[in-house]
Amino acid sequence: MAAVSCCELLAPSDLEECELNDAIILQHGILAFFLDAFFTCRKNALLAKSSSSQVEGDFAMAPRGPDQEECEGLLQQWREEGSSQLLSTVSDGPLVDKGLAESSLALLMDDPGEQDAAPEDKWSSRQLSDLRAAENLEEPFPEALGEEAPLSEVEGPMWAAVPVQTGPQYTDCAVLPMGALATEQWDEDPAVVAWSIAPEPLSQEEAPVWPFAGLEQLQPPPVEIPYHEILWREWEDFSTQPDAQGLEAGDGPQFQFTLMSYNILAQDLMQQSSELYLHCHPDILNWSYRFANLMQEFQHWDPDILCLQEVQEDHYWEQLEPSLRMMGFTCFYKRRTGCKTDGCAVCYKPTRFRLLCASPVEYFRPGLELLNRDNVGLVLLLQPLVPEGLGQVSVAPLCVANTHVLYNPRRGDVKLAQMAILLAEVDKVARLSDGSHCPVVLCGDLNSVPDSPLYNFIRDGELQYHGMPAWKVSGQEDFSHQLYQRKLQAPLWPSSLGITDCCQYVTSCHPTSSERRKYSRDFLLRFRFCNIACQRPVGLVLMEGVTDAKPERPADWAESVIEEDTSESELDVPRTVGTIRHRLRLASVYTHFLPQHGRPEVTTMPLGLGATVDYIFFSAESCEHGDRTDRRLYRDGTLKLLGRLSLLSEEILWAANGLPNPFCSSDHLCLLASFGMEVAAP
């Protein structure tokens, strides 16, 4: 009897099932063979990697050698000989088996989109596919590699390929190497480490587990470092904790308040100087995005007084002022003169202060070349409101000045003249009846660096400027190499400005007359016959009956008229030779140095270079330290510094791609300080 196959003895339905099983067995056999060959090549590649030098670049590459060439040869042979047979077999089977075959082929074949990629990029993709395939196997990863050389015995650092993030929102972000994150903790300064933002971080349950032997079951370290961790700013507290009423129980009760100074970057100015913000993604420069970030920052710190610079006028009236009013602020705004669209604003909470007066300051003076710029300032006199439960107590008024001085680094003479006008206004507003001054807080963007002549003038109260190069006043840039240098001459501004060299208005230096001088008509008519009145002016056109007439002198009229002695001489503006002063004793809230990092503080980063140009000065007397006055040592007066928000270094801001960035929506950092004022019995 002829031999009959088992398939001939089966029913038609059983026959189809038998053919399907044969196809599946064939398929699994082929897959097992090539998977074994693939992981053998993977083992050889890892062994070759362990003895290679350190790899550089965004992608880690295995060294090319015989093992890799053998692996690629096997894969190429598989493509030419067996891929068509396997695909034809799988195509006849059910969808489940077809999907299994296609997913298996994806592990062995290169992605079609990688055909044009560099060899090292392809190799990185194979390694990632290898890791994913190993996680889906039932056997542990070391056993898949074989018992001959387990992975735990491989020497050299563990490594993995991490592609650079190319999302549209964060194209400027750098990417952290995963190997460095796996072995290092965040104990060191984050300024030395780059940052990245993951599109959607995996949840704890979905995060894959590292399957390497000897590393136990470790979760892969995150590659995202949030901005608030890089740009973390600490609150430096210089006092004890206040009580529930906001008053501190120390030597005496104090009225405590916080003040913020912030250059928020006007949108018009940003668009006019777009070359300064090429490092920023366009989305984070959009005003809608920036406005939401700024309001969130105001709401988070919740200051009692808010001093803003570069406030665009239409944005102020349409968005900022209504939003700040809803947050409980009363706002005052002064736009720059001329055709400028931005200005300064001072906002305060009426629940904490009562307005006594508000004085806008314009630096533009027609006819004066020194003061032909459109910068402005704003000075407010506020009366602190103490809780009613304290009884009859009083607090001195507080003078708050906010300004944005000219930027031009070459025109230090203009900066000094603008500052003199502001200090004269502060001197007038803050002057008390006894001639002293109430506490003063002066803040803003002064466009001058620490220890520059302008900075020292505000801090020390005196500056000898005669012969000083104008560019040196602010210290922003060094123009000493230029042949022509504008130098400051004395007097710096003309007497017609009405401001003395002590930065006071002339009327503030001299008492006014008790009553106005009165001249009678008869007294004035007597001057018709004085000698000078009867003298013919040179060049006067002779007109008969008009200019040739000479009044007859009365017989009883003396030859000369003795003018009455005046009790008051004409007011003279006191001037000094090449020196200006002011009588406000001011100290800086910030020391302009970060001792924990050994780096200077930074408030802005124009063109990627960190600098400090924003300040908060307050009424305090500098203390004598040896033979010199140290700006970091001061004696508290009626205004005491209780705390401040720390600034950052240039390196830390570099790690966040500079300013602005998705977290800070201005090219300046905000300044925040807490003060205390003495509360005394009336």
Side-chain angles (χ1 to χ4, degrees), residues 85-139:
Q85 300 178 4
L86 180 59
L87 288 176
S88 60
T89 305
V90 174
S91 61
D92 299 334
L95 295 178
V96 177
D97 297 329
K98 182 184 297 185
L100 176 61
E102 292 177 353
S103 62
S104 302
L105 290 176
L107 297 175
L108 300 178
M109 299 179 62
D110 289 334
D111 194 312
E114 297 178 356
Q115 295 298 326
D116 299 332
E120 52 269 25
D121 296 347
K122 294 181 180 180
W123 185 246
S124 301
S125 301
R126 295 193 190 99
Q127 292 167 350
L128 291 176
S129 302
D130 188 2
L131 293 177
R132 298 189 186 98
E135 292 173 1
N136 297 328
L137 295 177
E138 296 180 357
E139 298 181 356

Side-chain angles (χ1 to χ4, degrees), residues 362-412:
E362 295 181 356
Y363 300 141
F364 178 80
R365 295 291 189 275
L368 291 182
E369 190 273 337
L370 182 66
L371 293 168
N372 60 356
R373 306 306 171 95
D374 296 313
N375 303 84
V376 296
L378 196 57
V379 181
L380 268 63
L381 187 63
L382 304 174
Q383 178 62 53
L385 302 177
V386 297
E388 298 179 356
L390 295 179
Q392 297 295 329
V393 295
S394 63
V395 182
L398 175 68
C399 180
V400 178
N402 180 30
T403 188
H404 190 182
V405 175
L406 176 71
Y407 166 75
N408 192 342
R410 295 179 174 88
R411 295 305 304 270

Side-chain angles (χ1 to χ4, degrees), residues 8-50:
E8 296 178 357
L9 302 178
L10 299 176
S13 59
D14 297 333
L15 180 60
E16 294 177 358
E17 183 178 357
C18 179
E19 293 175 351
L20 177 60
N21 292 336
D22 293 341
I24 294 176
I25 292 173
L26 176 60
Q27 169 193 341
H28 284 234
I30 295 175
L31 287 178
F33 171 79
F34 284 106
L35 282 176
D36 182 74
F38 179 79
F39 287 119
T40 302
C41 295
R42 167 65 176 167
K43 175 195 67 176
N44 297 333
L46 286 176
L47 292 177
K49 172 65 180 69
S50 63

Side-chain angles (χ1 to χ4, degrees), residues 360-682:
V361 181
E362 295 181 356
Y363 300 141
F364 178 80
R365 295 291 189 275
L368 291 182
E369 190 273 337
L370 182 66
L371 293 168
N372 60 356
R373 306 306 171 95
D374 296 313
N375 303 84
V376 296
L378 196 57
V379 181
L380 268 63
L381 187 63
L382 304 174
Q383 178 62 53
L385 302 177
V386 297
E388 298 179 356
L390 295 179
Q392 297 295 329
V393 295
S394 63
V395 182
L398 175 68
C399 180
V400 178
N402 180 30
T403 188
H404 190 182
V405 175
L406 176 71
Y407 166 75
N408 192 342
R410 295 179 174 88
R411 295 305 304 270
D413 52 344
V414 178
K415 298 172 190 277
L416 283 176
Q418 292 181 350
M419 185 54 58
I421 296 176
L422 180 68
L423 293 175
E425 188 68 27
V426 172
D427 176 85
K428 184 187 72 172
V429 172
R431 183 181 295 273
L432 302 176
S433 58
D434 59 354
S436 61
H437 297 92
C438 68
V440 175
V441 177
L442 189 155
C443 58
D445 184 350
L446 304 185
N447 277 316
S448 303
V449 301
D451 289 324
S452 64
L454 178 59
Y455 175 90
N456 294 335
F457 168 61
I458 299 174
R459 184 196 66 192
D460 302 334
E462 182 176 350
L463 176 65
Q464 296 181 358
Y465 64 87
H466 183 67
M468 179 183 298
W471 61 264
K472 195 174 182 179
V473 172
S474 63
Q476 296 167 279
E477 297 183 37
D478 186 358
F479 297 99
S480 58
H481 60 280
Q482 295 185 352
L483 296 179
Y484 171 75
Q485 299 182 19
R486 182 191 300 267
K487 294 187 177 180
L488 278 58
Q489 302 296 329
L492 185 59
W493 56 80
S495 300
S496 59
L497 186 59
I499 296 178
T500 70
D501 286 335
C502 291
C503 297
Q504 294 178 319
Y505 289 121
V506 174
T507 55
S508 302
C509 303
H510 301 275
T512 58
S513 177
S514 58
E515 61 179 355
R516 183 181 179 183
R517 183 184 298 276
K518 298 179 180 179
Y519 299 98
S520 65
R521 181 176 180 273
D522 295 338
F523 174 80
L524 295 177
L525 288 176
R526 292 165 56 186
F527 287 91
R528 293 181 302 166
F529 306 104
C530 63
N531 294 333
I532 192 66
C534 297
Q535 184 178 357
R536 182 183 179 84
V538 178
L540 181 63
V541 179
L542 179 60
M543 298 178 62
E544 187 177 357
V546 179
T547 60
D548 61 346
K550 184 176 182 180
E552 297 180 357
R553 186 185 302 277
D556 59 345
W557 191 260
E559 289 292 331
S560 61
V561 178
I562 302 176
E563 299 181 6
E564 295 183 359
D565 185 19
T566 59
S567 58
E568 295 183 8
S569 60
E570 184 180 356
L571 298 179
D572 294 328
V573 178
R575 307 303 298 263
T576 55
V577 181
T579 303
I580 55 176
R581 300 180 178 88
H582 71 82
R583 299 181 180 179
L584 305 173
R585 301 180 181 274
L586 301 175
S588 175
V589 167
Y590 289 90
T591 59
H592 318 302
F593 188 77
L594 299 171
Q596 65 273 24
H597 299 288
R599 297 287 189 274
E601 295 174 338
V602 168
T603 65
T604 184
M605 288 190 67
L607 297 175
L609 301 177
T612 295
V613 297
D614 305 276
Y615 302 94
I616 298 179
F617 291 96
F618 68 104
S619 295
E621 297 183 8
S622 298
C623 300
E624 295 295 332
H625 182 67
D627 297 334
R628 64 184 181 88
T629 301
D630 192 340
R631 70 166 183 265
R632 299 178 180 85
L633 299 177
Y634 55 86
R635 181 171 61 254
D636 293 324
T638 55
L639 196 61
K640 181 180 180 181
L641 179 63
L642 302 179
R644 66 191 177 199
L645 184 63
S646 66
L647 288 172
L648 301 174
S649 65
E650 182 182 77
E651 290 76 11
I652 293 179
L653 290 176
W654 263 114
N657 200 32
L659 294 172
N661 53 53
F663 188 74
C664 297
S665 289
S666 174
D667 57 350
H668 293 248
L669 294 176
C670 70
L671 309 183
L672 184 67
S674 175
F675 299 97
M677 298 179 64
E678 295 179 354
V679 176

Side-chain angles (χ1 to χ4, degrees), residues 174-203:
V175 177
L176 286 172
M178 295 180 65
L181 284 175
T183 57
E184 298 178 4
Q185 300 295 329
W186 288 104
D187 295 335
E188 58 182 358
D189 190 348
V192 300
V193 187
W195 55 270
S196 66
I197 291 187
E200 292 183 1
L202 296 176
S203 61

